Amino acid sequence: SAVISQKPSRDICQRGTSLTIQCQVDSQVTMMFWYRQQPGQSLTLIATANQGSEATYESGFVIDKFPISRPNLTFSTLTVSNMSPEDSSIYLCSVDRSAGAFFGQGTRLTVV
Amino acid sequence: EDKVVQSPLSLVVHEGDTVTLNCSYEVTNFRSLLWYKQEKKAPTFLFMLTSSGIEKKSGRLSSILDKKELFSILNITATQTGDSAVYLCAVAHSGGSNYKLTFGKGTLLTVNP
């Protein structure tokens, strides 16, 4: 398995502001993944973060809205920019191991 | 388009019942199929399946994959109220340099005492 520390656990933010979510892994990984889970929905991949290169975004997600940093092989951040109520979701980071894919504790974001 | 379909979407049972959750998929370059239990925020890893016909078992939970028919089942025997959760099926697949998980919508299991 993997130990993944994600913070904040939850936040309530004003529309128009930005929130940065952090994810720390207990060992080095090549790729880190960021997911969004909107209320009542399943998980959707936002982007894949590789160390030393720009993140790869999935269709419907853009760097200006969800900038990602990957300064080293154990850490990544996802920023949700210029938030609106539609961004209210659970955001999750994930890493892949040979035994499976594992998730951080998640960040529950509410935009008011 | 890659897709993962789970059924049923919800299920209500009584303690002690046995349940079977289904997951079918259509993806390019299949790598593995994973099952998760989600109670609050973070999905908890249950199983990863890569080979057909080999059952994985952990306590009262077991799972098997059929790569020919493109589906998997998750069985839970002697259910308990603590098994109440959303069970997610995800398929790991790749295309070119991209690797990703595609999730199904989940099955909401409610176990009543």
Side-chain angles (χ1 to χ4, degrees):
Chain A
S1 66
V3 176
I4 307 169
S5 299
Q6 183 175 342
K7 58 181 181 181
S9 175
R10 59 178 61 228
D11 209 341
I12 300 173
C13 300
Q14 297 290 324
R15 66 179 69 200
T17 62
S18 298
L19 175 72
T20 295
I21 302 167
Q22 300 180 5
C23 197
Q24 178 77 49
V25 188
D26 63 341
S27 59
Q28 295 181 345
V29 292
T30 304
M31 294 189 290
M32 294 178 72
F33 305 88
W34 288 98
Y35 290 85
R36 179 176 74 180
Q37 187 175 28
Q38 294 177 300
Q41 303 296 314
S42 193
L43 280 74
T44 301
L45 181 65
I46 298 172
T48 303
N50 298 304
Q51 197 272 332
S53 63
E54 283 201 8
T56 303
Y57 288 83
E58 295 298 304
S59 176
F61 298 96
V62 295
I63 188 171
D64 289 346
K65 176 67 176 177
F66 298 101
I68 286 172
S69 78
R70 186 80 202 275
N72 57 55
L73 290 173
T74 63
F75 186 80
S76 180
T77 67
L78 170 77
T79 298
V80 186
S81 303
N82 188 25
M83 289 183 285
S84 66
E86 291 71 36
D87 294 320
S88 298
S89 295
I90 296 172
Y91 292 86
L92 294 147
C93 64
S94 172
V95 300
D96 184 41
R97 289 273 191 266
S98 58
F102 300 89
F103 289 84
Q105 300 94 325
T107 298
R108 187 183 299 277
L109 171 62
T110 303
V111 184
V112 297
Chain B
E1 181 186 350
D2 301 313
K3 61 180 180 181
V4 177
V5 179
Q6 291 186 246
S7 64
L9 292 181
S10 65
L11 188 58
V12 180
V13 301
H14 292 288
E15 270 192 316
D17 288 351
T18 293
V19 298
T20 297
L21 310 182
N22 304 293
C23 177
S24 64
Y25 62 91
E26 290 182 36
V27 301
T28 53
N29 298 319
F30 172 91
R31 289 177 54 175
S32 60
L33 185 144
L34 302 96
W35 284 98
Y36 293 89
K37 178 182 182 182
Q38 186 177 33
E39 293 176 270
K40 291 183 179 178
K41 291 186 297 182
T44 302
F45 175 81
L46 296 175
F47 298 112
M48 182 174 76
L49 304 157
T50 55
S51 301
S52 277
I54 298 175
E55 184 184 56
K56 291 232 174 162
K57 194 171 174 64
S58 176
R60 297 177 292 104
L61 278 66
S62 63
S63 183
I64 197 162
L65 173 67
D66 185 328
K67 290 170 70 174
K68 181 179 177 183
E69 300 298 328
L70 308 183
F71 80 91
S72 174
I73 60 172
L74 175 69
N75 283 319
I76 307 175
T77 60
T79 52
Q80 302 171 357
T81 55
D83 294 327
S84 296
V86 174
Y87 289 83
L88 295 168
C89 173
V91 175
H93 56 104
S94 58
S97 60
N98 298 320
Y99 154 79
K100 63 184 292 185
L101 290 179
T102 296
F103 282 81
K105 293 185 182 297
T107 294
L108 174 61
L109 174 65
T110 303
V111 181
N112 290 324

